[in-house]
Amino acid sequence: MPEFNDTTFRAVLGHYPTGVALVTAIGSDGSPVGMIVGSFTSVSMDPPLVAYLPTTGSRIFAKLREAETFCINVLSAQQEVTCRKFASRAEDKWDGVAWELSPGGAPIIEGVLAWIECTTDSITEAGDHYLVVGRVRCLDIHRPATPLLFFQGAYGRFTMSSVIAPSSPELVAATRLAERVRDRVETLSGQLGVVCDILAPIGCDLAYVGVVASVTDTRPEPVLGWRIPLMTPFGEQYIAYAHETAIDRWMDRGGVVEDTERSLLRDQLEAARARGWSMSKLPPSREGSFVEIMREYANGDLTPARERELRRLIEEFRLDYETGDVDEDAHYAPFTLAAPVIGPDGAPVLVVRLIGLPESASGSQIHAWAKELTTCTTELAGILTA
Ligand SMILES: Cc1cc2nc3c(=O)[nH]c(=O)nc-3n(C[C@H](O)[C@H](O)[C@H](O)COP(=O)(O)O)c2cc1C
């Protein structure tokens, strides 16, 4: 059992998901006030009571409690930005926020799911929080939509646990593209005696949409549908051809903040683009944990806490996951060679990778593979525009 302290208390309690409500009132100076709470709950039907728990030190609650009437606004999944703004200490929280007065005179925010107008029934001290019980005076559903949820320090939304598998139109379209080029990639795989895979950009990921093995491949991975997150260092060969905002997101997501490191990465992308292909090198000792991370990511049901852990591991990978120049006479342990298939608008639509390369290869051998690979991807671009 972990030690019981503030951190474990927060971490364990963070496993209970909550909705998010904005408690509003008109302050004594006539201006609106609002406080974001996750502690809203219904208490009793008869009499109709609800409650929330503000911290005793809250400056906003000091203003809220002066008002006779307050309103609980249940935030929708579309209102994350509003929520973040109200949870901050910004001075201009109400700027640009549309609202109207409830019958008893407390703000109802435009776009909320529901509002519940109350008068204060009791305020009881409970440790470092107050338990504020409100007597419900009137209430209504404002907009039938899905709620904003809060779980392990991250925002999310409600999805139905449906018996129907979710369909991803992007993935279906990309798989069709991969099918159109499959024969040619099979030829490449046969020629070089290596496994080839085909990846396509899907949202913030590159997804495996084709795996071609003309040789017996003992690796169980990758499997179709698996995803690689587009964050440094992954997906260089795709990002090198992508637009500026995608490059920035790639670095932001990978936690690259230093200007010097960002400009180094930009140079690297520039070089990858000029060369038309990329090589990644991953020490064999790291390969097992790389596959492990990818499996977790691909399974798709990461909790926010687990995702933070993966992010940390991927950031660590950056140190080992070298790309860069290939010297003709040197020897390398290449992990992958990859080249994009450029679509008619100049953006990459697919990426073809050679994997399962021999553990040691000379620079001139790598250049020879890269030449076959880029000849293939150029032909694929032609097949897709035909
Ligand atoms: C999702 C979420 C839920 C929160 N729930 C509560 C809560 O139940 N009680 C509370 O006192 N503060 C809660 N807070 C913090 C307050 O919204 C707010 O940041 C804090 O009141 C600001 O401090 P101040 O009142 O001293 O200005 C929550 C914040 C977020 C983002």
Side-chain angles (χ1 to χ4, degrees), residues 61-83:
F61 179 65
K63 293 182 184 169
L64 280 172
R65 70 183 300 170
E66 288 174 1
E68 220 168 276
T69 305
F70 65 89
C71 186
I72 304 286
N73 290 262
V74 181
L75 298 191
S76 85
Q78 311 293 327
Q79 292 178 305
E80 184 180 326
V81 173
T82 309
C83 173

Side-chain angles (χ1 to χ4, degrees), residues 168-334:
S168 163
E170 276 175 301
L171 192 59
V172 173
T175 310
R176 287 201 182 120
L177 281 188
E179 272 312 299
R180 285 174 60 195
V181 301
R182 192 182 174 84
D183 283 355
R184 179 62 182 89
V185 178
E186 235 159 36
T187 309
L188 177 72
S189 167
Q191 240 172 345
L192 304 182
V194 298
V195 179
C196 297
D197 57 33
I198 309 170
L199 298 117
I202 307 286
C204 295
D205 297 331
L206 280 182
Y208 288 95
V209 289
V211 180
V212 178
S214 64
V215 285
T216 315
D217 183 32
T218 49
R219 299 172 198 226
E221 340 284 1
V223 288
L224 285 181
W226 264 36
R227 289 167 178 243
I228 296 179
L230 276 173
M231 63 188 276
T232 42
F234 304 138
E236 183 199 75
Q237 61 290 339
Y238 169 77
I239 287 295
Y241 294 81
H243 49 78
E244 275 300 305
T245 44
I247 296 176
D248 277 331
R249 200 168 48 224
W250 182 68
M251 295 198 264
D252 292 345
R253 230 183 146 196
V256 182
V257 284
E258 295 284 326
D259 281 347
T260 45
E261 204 184 342
R262 284 176 91 95
S263 76
L264 212 72
L265 277 168
R266 278 180 193 281
D267 292 348
Q268 208 168 297
L269 291 177
E270 190 66 37
R273 195 184 166 118
R275 196 169 48 205
W277 55 275
S278 295
M279 177 175 80
S280 66
K281 291 167 266 173
L282 192 73
S285 60
R286 282 285 204 178
E287 196 180 324
S289 46
F290 172 78
V291 168
E292 186 57 31
I293 291 185
M294 287 305 129
R295 181 184 295 120
E296 292 221 9
Y297 187 78
N299 285 346
D301 46 22
L302 288 181
T303 59
R306 196 65 195 133
E307 199 194 349
R308 280 194 285 271
E309 173 63 8
L310 284 189
R311 223 173 253 275
R312 195 188 58 72
L313 283 172
I314 291 173
E315 277 175 39
E316 264 180 26
F317 261 122
R318 244 194 9 250
L319 307 174
D320 286 335
Y321 195 91
E322 271 182 73
T323 56
D325 289 340
V326 174
D327 183 347
E328 285 280 317
D329 301 320
H331 272 76
Y332 296 91

Side-chain angles (χ1 to χ4, degrees), residues 18-20 35-40 52-61 83-84 86-89 93 129 150 155:
T18 70
V20 185
M35 176 177 185
I36 294 290
V37 298
S39 56
F40 169 69
Y52 71 99
L53 291 106
T55 170
T56 49
S58 166
R59 296 171 314 156
I60 306 172
F61 179 65
C83 173
R84 286 184 187 278
F86 273 95
S88 74
R89 296 217 154 158
K93 291 179 192 177
H129 280 63
F150 195 67
Y155 294 98

